[in-house]
Amino acid sequence: MLRLIIRRLLQGIPLMFGVIIINFALIKSVPGSLLDVMSAEQQVTDPAMIERLRQLYGLDQSALMQLLNYLGSVLRLDLGFSYRQNMPVLDVILAHLPATLILMLASIALAVMVGVSAGVLAAIKVNSVWDTLISALAVLCFAAPSFWLGIMMIILFAVKLGWFPVGGMETIGSNLTPWGRALDILHHLVLPALALGLFYAATYARVMRASMLEVWQMDFVRTARAKGLGRAQVIIGHTLRNALLPVVTLLGLQLGTVLGGSIVIEAVFSWPGIGQVLFDSVMSRNYPVVLGVLVLSSLLVILTNIVVDVIYSRLDPRIRN
């Protein structure tokens, strides 16, 4: 297990540097710079002042030197400075990262629990009304865009019924106890987590159903049934564990898309995560923050995939070595 983790970490180091280089090149290829925005907002027209700003932010150097300087800064855990927030980029990201992690973890947990349970039920009740209903709902949730689901949920559950807040992470100005604040955040979390998680729940339900039906026909399951084991024991002890392998693999592959989807959902529900920061930074050409968000997001995806690999190795001992 330890060798697996070390090997994945060593593989992630060059991958991380490759991601940084690609993101840096993409941002540098975009027309315009933060000096253009600063000059327009602060009406800076003095060429000498513009040149001093260019030197201050290192824009007078070649692209290669800027990249090398940035790689050196990343190694020192320095992601640059945000002129708009007037604080280090890492502090800006860390201030909003917990909100995004809460949304991501809640939506993933919801997707796995609902998707796996629905897939198992559909496989057990194959060709029944339950199977047909779950398959139809899965297709509907898979086809509907997350932002559209979010808007529809706001209209129905927040505006019409008033069950949930329209947006935000917590009630502004409330003086609640820690438990009361946690419940308030949970109340605000329900709709965005549902809007983001239902798409992935539909995917997991379809994959889990197909995997359960495939494993159910394998020889070791037939042997367990022939020994007289109960149906529940065969399903839970033999079929479910092996059927989960494709779902775990898919979960690792979709973590990046979950992060991208959370940025869209944050905009719909005014969720104060890094999605809002990224959108504002792109509009203001605050590229140090944009690059910092991309770097930290890539690191998060790599580390989470290592965790998924560890979980996979627990389910399938053949890959531990």
Side-chain angles (χ1 to χ4, degrees):
M1 182 69 66
L2 181 59
R3 285 192 300 172
L4 173 64
I5 296 175
I6 294 175
R7 187 166 65 248
R8 291 292 186 268
L9 287 173
L10 292 177
Q11 292 173 352
I13 293 174
L15 177 61
M16 190 66 211
F17 277 98
V19 168
I20 293 175
I21 293 172
I22 292 174
N23 288 333
F24 189 90
L26 289 175
I27 288 178
K28 285 300 178 182
S29 65
V30 176
S33 67
L34 61 89
L35 288 183
D36 298 331
V37 178
M38 293 176 66
S39 300
E41 290 181 349
Q42 302 176 14
Q43 297 181 352
V44 178
T45 58
D46 184 10
M49 177 63 71
I50 294 177
E51 183 61 27
R52 283 197 294 270
L53 290 174
R54 190 183 303 276
Q55 294 174 2
L56 177 63
Y57 291 102
L59 299 178
D60 58 326
Q61 301 175 349
S62 65
L64 178 59
M65 285 303 302
Q66 292 182 45
L67 174 60
L68 293 177
N69 291 334
Y70 187 77
L71 290 175
S73 300
V74 170
L75 292 176
R76 299 191 304 269
L77 300 181
D78 179 12
L79 299 180
F81 189 82
S82 171
Y83 79 94
R84 183 165 290 275
Q85 286 89 357
N86 196 30
M87 59 191 302
V89 171
L90 187 58
D91 293 344
V92 175
I93 296 175
L94 292 180
H96 295 83
L97 184 61
T100 296
L101 291 179
I102 290 173
L103 177 58
M104 285 183 58
L105 292 176
S107 61
I108 291 174
L110 173 70
V112 171
M113 289 189 296
V114 173
V116 170
S117 301
V120 171
L121 180 60
I124 295 175
K125 304 290 185 179
V126 62
N127 297 326
S128 67
V129 176
W130 282 107
D131 184 20
T132 303
L133 179 61
I134 291 173
S135 298
L137 290 175
V139 171
L140 176 62
C141 293
F142 184 82
S146 297
F147 70 89
W148 180 84
L149 281 177
I151 294 173
M152 294 300 104
M153 288 179 180
I154 290 175
I155 295 175
L156 177 60
F157 296 109
V159 177
K160 296 293 185 182
L161 299 177
W163 292 353
F164 298 99
V166 174
M169 184 176 172
E170 53 186 316
T171 304
I172 299 176
S174 60
N175 188 16
L176 301 173
T177 62
W179 278 109
R181 183 168 181 257
L183 291 176
D184 185 47
I185 293 175
L186 181 62
H187 190 214
H188 286 75
L189 179 63
V190 172
L191 291 186
L194 278 173
L196 182 59
L198 284 179
F199 171 83
Y200 301 100
T203 305
Y204 299 150
R206 298 295 296 171
V207 172
M208 193 65 191
R209 176 186 181 277
S211 182
M212 284 285 293
L213 293 177
E214 180 181 357
V215 174
W216 187 257
Q217 301 299 324
M218 291 185 175
D219 292 338
F220 71 92
V221 176
R222 293 177 179 174
T223 302
R225 291 157 58 191
K227 287 182 178 180
L229 295 179
R231 182 177 175 86
Q233 189 175 357
V234 173
I235 292 174
I236 298 175
H238 294 75
T239 311
L240 182 60
R241 177 172 179 171
N242 292 276
L244 278 172
L245 295 177
V247 175
V248 174
T249 303
L250 188 61
L251 176 62
L253 295 173
Q254 288 186 330
L255 286 173
T257 60
V258 172
L259 180 59
S262 68
I263 293 175
V264 177
I265 293 299
E266 286 177 11
V268 173
F269 287 92
S270 299
W271 190 263
I274 60 175
Q276 291 282 355
V277 176
L278 182 61
F279 178 79
D280 295 338
S281 299
V282 170
M283 297 303 295
S284 62
R285 288 179 171 80
N286 193 2
Y287 292 144
V289 175
V290 175
L291 190 56
V293 170
L294 294 177
V295 169
L296 206 61
S297 302
S298 302
L299 178 62
L300 179 64
V301 171
I302 291 174
L303 292 178
T304 311
N305 271 276
I306 294 176
V307 175
V308 171
D309 287 340
V310 173
I311 296 174
Y312 199 103
S313 68
R314 300 295 299 179
L315 294 174
D316 188 355
R318 293 173 297 177
I319 69 169
R320 292 183 184 178
N321 298 321

